[in-house]
C-alpha cells in the first residue's frame, strides 16, 4: 500500500492498529476484552485510552475534539472543545482525560426531543460509543457518541441502533448455538449502503431559492425532448465530475471508508456511491460522513450535491439501498445457503424468520423509510411501491414451495442441498421490489437518499430478533435430534402463513396495487400516514418488550417525525409563495406588457390572452393556498396537522407547479431567467 494512492487509507481513523501503537499493551488488551464483552470502561483504562487518543490526534495537527452524535434532526452534531486548558497557575496545558472522552454535555436545548427534555430535564449528555472508531475531520478529533436525556431516554439515532444490535446478536447467537454452531458468541448485523445523489452547478443552484431552501425544485418543466435522458448513462463521466469523485474517494479513504464510486444509470447528473459493507452502526456513521463529504467536496468543485429524494419533478429521484445480513463472530452468514445440510437448514430457518418478521411488521418497516421527500418516489413507478413485499427469486421460492407442499423427507433434503447452487447474480432480477433477497443478504430498497439509515436498521434488527425469539421458545426443551424436524415444520408453517408478503412480478404495476389490497397488505402512501401508525399496539408491544424504545421514547419520536413533516411542508408552502410572487408573477406581467405594442397581430393577441389566463389562474391558486395554509396551520396536534397538509396542501402545491410549468413551456427565456431543467441537468 505504501507507494499506492491508497497509502493514506484510514490515516485519519483511531483504528485498532493505531490503538495498538498508541496504547500500552495491557490497556489495549483490556480495551479489546471490554469491547468483546460489551463491558464498561474503568477509569484507569479510559484515562489511558484518552491519553493515547489525544497524542495521536495532536500528532495529526488536531487542536480540538468533539463528541460527534446524531440527534433526531437526521444529520450530525458536534461542539468543538480545544485540547488546551489552563492549570492552577494559569499556564496553558494540554488536557484530555478519560472522563472527557467518555462523557460530554452539549448545549442540547436546540435539538428536537419530542418534548422529552422540556417535560423532564433540560440537560442532555453524550457518551462515547467505543464500538465505532474515533476519527479526525478538519483538524477536529471526532468521538462517535450516543445522546441521551438526564433520565437516560435516547435523544438520538445511535442509541436505539446499538440496543437493537445487541438484541439481535443475543437472539441470533442463541439460535445458531442451538442448531449446531456451538462456538458462536456474537452476531453482527452487516450493512452495505448504496447512496444516490445529484450534482448541479453551484451558480445555478444559488439562483433557485426553492432548491436551496427545500432541497427540491418546486416547479420546472422537463427538457423539450422529454424523458429520453438515457443517453447520458452511456456517456463518459465529465472530467469535472471525475475530479470531484477523485477527491471524494480520497477523503473517504482517509476515514477508512472502503468506497467505490460509480456512474449512475438513471438520470442525468445523478450518481451513486457504495462503500463495502461493515457493522451496522459503523455503516450508519460512515453514511453520515459520506453525505457530509459529498456536499463539502461538491461545494469545492463548484457543484451543489443534492441529496433530496426528488430534486426534479419527472426525473427519477434518489434513494439509498440498505444491504443487510447477519454474520457471526465465527464467520457464519445466516443468509448464506452454504454447502452442508446444516447450512441449508440454517438458511431456510433464518430466511423464514425474516419473511415472518417483514409480514408481521410492514407498517414499521414502511415508517422506517418514510420522510417527506420520499413521498415523491415510493409508489411512483421509479422506486419501490409503498407496499412492503419481498422478492425471494424463483429458485428460493420453488424450494420453499417443495418444503411447504410436503414432499417426502428424502426429496426435501436433496432439494435443500440444491440451495448451494443458487447463482448469486441470478437472484436479483427484480428491481421493483422494496425488499429483495440478493444472494446472501436482503436488500431493503425503500430508503430515502437524504436521511439517516439508522432507523431502518433498528427496525430490521428488532423484527428479526422477535421472530427468532418466538422460534427459540418452540425449541426450548427439545432434544438436538428433534430440532431438524421442527425447523422444517416451521419453514412450512411460515410460508403458508406469510406467503402473502412474497411477490416476484412487476411491483410498479397497477395490478400489484390491486392484488396487494386483495392480499390485505398495507399500502401506506405517505410518510405522515406512516408516522401516524408508529404507535400501533403491536409496534409498541414489540419495541418495548425488547427494550429498544420505551413508550415515552416512541411518543417523543412520533412527535418529532410529525413536526419534521409539518415543517417541511410549511417550508415548501413559503418557498412556493416566495418564488411565485417574486419571480413568476413579475415574469408573466413583464411578458404581457411586452405584447401591448404588437397587439394587432392575431398571434400576439392569442399569446397575450394565454399568458393573462395563466397569470389569473396562478394568482387565484396562490390565494387559495395562502388561505388554506392559514386555516390548517392553527391545528395543534402535529400528526393531525400533517395529515391535513398532506390531503389539502400537498395537492395545491402540485397544482400550482403544473400552471407554472405550463407557463415555463412557452415563456420568453429572456424574461424567464430562473435556471431551467435543461440548464441545470446538462
Ligand atoms: P448492487 O448490485 O445492488 O449494486 P452490490 O453487490 O454492488 O449490489 O452490493 C451493494 C452493497 O451490498 C455493497 O455495499 C456491498 O458491500 C454490500 N454487501 C455485499 N455483501 C453483503 C452482505 N453479506 N451483507 C451486507 N451487505 C453486503
Ligand atoms: Mg442495490
Amino acid at each position: 500500500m505504501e507507494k499506492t494512492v491508497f497509502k493514506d487509507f484510514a490515516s485519519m481513523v483511531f483504528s485498532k492498529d493505531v490503538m495498538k501503537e498508541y496504547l500500552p499493551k495491557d490497556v489495549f488488551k483490556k480495551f479489546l476484552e471490554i469491547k468483546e464483552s460489551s463491558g464498561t470502561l474503568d477509569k484507569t483504562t479510559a484515562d489511558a485510552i484518552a491519553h493515547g487518543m489525544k497524542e495521536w490526534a495532536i500528532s495529526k495537527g488536531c487542536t480540538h475534539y468533539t463528541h460527534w452524535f446524531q440527534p433526531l434532526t437526521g444529520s450530525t452534531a458536534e461542539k468543538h472543545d480545544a485540547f488546551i486548558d489552563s492549570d492552577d497557575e494559569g499556564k496553558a496545558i494540554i488536557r484530555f482525560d478519560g472522563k472527557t472522552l467518555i462523557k460530554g454535555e452539549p448545549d442540547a436545548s436546540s435539538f428536537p426531543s419530542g418534548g422529552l427534555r422540556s417535560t423532564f430535564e433540560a440537560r442532555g449528555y453524550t457518551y462515547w460509543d467505543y464500538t465505532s472508531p474515533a476519527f479526525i475531520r478538519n483538524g477536529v478529533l471526532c468521538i462517535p457518541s450516543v445522546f441521551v436525556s438526564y433520565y437516560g431516554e435516547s435523544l438520538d439515532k445511535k442509541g436505539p441502533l446499538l440496543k437493537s444490535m445487541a438484541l439481535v446478536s443475543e437472539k441470533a447467537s442463541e439460535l445458531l448455538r442451538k442448531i449446531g454452531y456451538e462456538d458462536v458468541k456474537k452476531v453482527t448485523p452487516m450493512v452495505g449502503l448504496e447512496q444516490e445523489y445529484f450534482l448541479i452547478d453551484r451558480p445555478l443552484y444559488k439562483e433557485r431559492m426553492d432548491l436551496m431552501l427545500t432541497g427540491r425544485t418546486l416547479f420546472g418543466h422537463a427538457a423539450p425532448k422529454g424523458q429520453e435522458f438515457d443517453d447520458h448513462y452511456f456517456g463518459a463521466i465529465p472530467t469535472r465530475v471525475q475530479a470531484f469523485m477523485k477527491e471524494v474517494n480520497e477523503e473517504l479513504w482517509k476515514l477508512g471508508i472502503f468506497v467505490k464510486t460509480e456512474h449512475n444509470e438513471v438520470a442525468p447528473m445523478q450518481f451513486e456511491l457504495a462503500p463495502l459493507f461493515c457493522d451496522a452502526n459503523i455503516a450508519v456513521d460512515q453514511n453520515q460522513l459520506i453525505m457530509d463529504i459529498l456536499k463539502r467536496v461538491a461545494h469545492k468543485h463548484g457543484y451543489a450535491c443534492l441529496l433530496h429524494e426528488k430534486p426534479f419533478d419527472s426525473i427519477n429521484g434518489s434513494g439509498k439501498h440498505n444491504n443487510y445480513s447477519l454474520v457471526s463472530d465465527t464467520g457464519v452468514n445466516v443468509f448464506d445457503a452454504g454447502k452442508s445440510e446444516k447450512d441449508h437448514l440454517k438458511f431456510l430457518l433464518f430466511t423464514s424468520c425474516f419473511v415472518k418478521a417483514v409480514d408481521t411488521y410492514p407498517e414499521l418497516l414502511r415508517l422506517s423509510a418514510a420522510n417527506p421527500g420520499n413521498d415523491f418516489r415510493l409508489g411512483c413507478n421509479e422506486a419501490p411501491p409503498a407496499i412492503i413485499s419481498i422478492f425471494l427469486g424463483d429458485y428460493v421460492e420453488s424450494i420453499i414451495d417443495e418444503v411447504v407442499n410436503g414432499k417426502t423427507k428424502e426429496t426435501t433434503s436433496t432439494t435443500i442441498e440444491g440451495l448451494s447452487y443458487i447463482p448469486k447474480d441470478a437472484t436479483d432480477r427484480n428491481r421493483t421490489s422494496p425488499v429483495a433477497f440478493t444472494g446472501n443478504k436482503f436488500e431493503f430498497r425503500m430508503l430515502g437518499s437524504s436521511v439517516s439509515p439508522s432507523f431502518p436498521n433498528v427496525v430490521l434488527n428488532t423484527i428479526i430478533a422477535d421472530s427468532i425469539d418466538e422460534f427459540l421458545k418452540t425449541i426450548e426443551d427439545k432434544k438436538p435430534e428433534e430440532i431438524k424436524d421442527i425447523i422444517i415444520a416451521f419453514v412450512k408453517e411460515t410460508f403458508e402463513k406469510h406467503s402473502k408478503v412474497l411477490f416476484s412480478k412487476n411491483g410498479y404495476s397497477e395490478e400489484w396495487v390491486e392484488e396487494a389490497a386483495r392480499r390485505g397488505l398495507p399500502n401506506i402512501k405517505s410518510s405522515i400516514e406512516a408516522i401516524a401508525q408508529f404507535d400501533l399496539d403491536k409496534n409498541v408491544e414489540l419495541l418495548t418488550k425488547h427494550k429498544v424504545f420505551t413508550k415515552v421514547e416512541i411518543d417523543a419520536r412520533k412527535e418529532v417525525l410529525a413536526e419534521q413533516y409539518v415543517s417541511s411542508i410549511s417550508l415548501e408552502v413559503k418557498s412556493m409563495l416566495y418564488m411565485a410572487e417574486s419571480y413568476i408573477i413579475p415574469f408573466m406581467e413583464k411578458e404581457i406588457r411586452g405584447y401591448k405594442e404588437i397587439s394587432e397581430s392575431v398571434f400576439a393577441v392569442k399569446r397575450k390572452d394565454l399568458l393573462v389566463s395563466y397569470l389569473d389562474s396562478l394568482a387565484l391558486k396562490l390565494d387559495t393556498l395562502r388561505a388554506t395554509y392559514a386555516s390548517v396551520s392553527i391545528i395543534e396536534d402535529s400528526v393531525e396537522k400533517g395529515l391535513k397538509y398532506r390531503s389539502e396542501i400537498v395537492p395545491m402545491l402540485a397544482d400550482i407547479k403544473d400552471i407554472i410549468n405550463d407557463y415555463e413551456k412557452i415563456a420568453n427565456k429572456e424574461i424567464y431567467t430562473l435556471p431551467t431543467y435543461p440548464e441545470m441537468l446538462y
Side-chain angles (χ1 to χ4, degrees), residues 192 194 272 320-323 428 431 438 441 443-445:
E194 302 161 62
E272 181 188 293
K320 194 152 19 207
H321 290 180
N322 192 92
N323 294 271
D428 190 22
R431 290 266 158 193
T438 48
K441 58 185 162 78
E443 185 168 343
F444 184 30
R445 299 188 175 128

Side-chain angles (χ1 to χ4, degrees), residues 205 212 214 241 313 339 350 413 432 441 578 598:
Y205 170 74
M212 283 179 61
T214 70
V241 176
D313 190 40
K339 291 204 168 63
F350 277 91
S413 81
T432 67
K441 58 185 162 78
Y578 172 78
I598 46 166

Side-chain angles (χ1 to χ4, degrees), residues 189-194 258 260 262 272-278 321-327 333 335-336 425 428 431 438-443 445:
M190 291 292 176
V191 170
L193 287 154
E194 302 161 62
F258 291 90
K260 61 185 176 113
E262 54 201 7
E272 181 188 293
L273 179 153
L276 284 186
F277 68 95
C278 58
H321 290 180
N322 192 92
N323 294 271
Y324 180 93
S325 65
L326 293 168
V327 180
N333 174 353
F335 298 128
D336 196 328
D425 304 336
D428 190 22
R431 290 266 158 193
T438 48
N440 60 0
K441 58 185 162 78
F442 280 93
E443 185 168 343
R445 299 188 175 128

Side-chain angles (χ1 to χ4, degrees), residues 266-294:
V266 185
M269 287 313 272
Q270 190 190 34
F271 307 93
E272 181 188 293
L273 179 153
L276 284 186
F277 68 95
C278 58
D279 296 17
N281 63 323
I282 298 177
V284 169
D285 284 1
Q286 290 186 346
N287 185 254
Q288 291 286 1
L289 289 170
I290 287 171
M291 291 195 285
D292 190 40
I293 284 171
L294 282 172

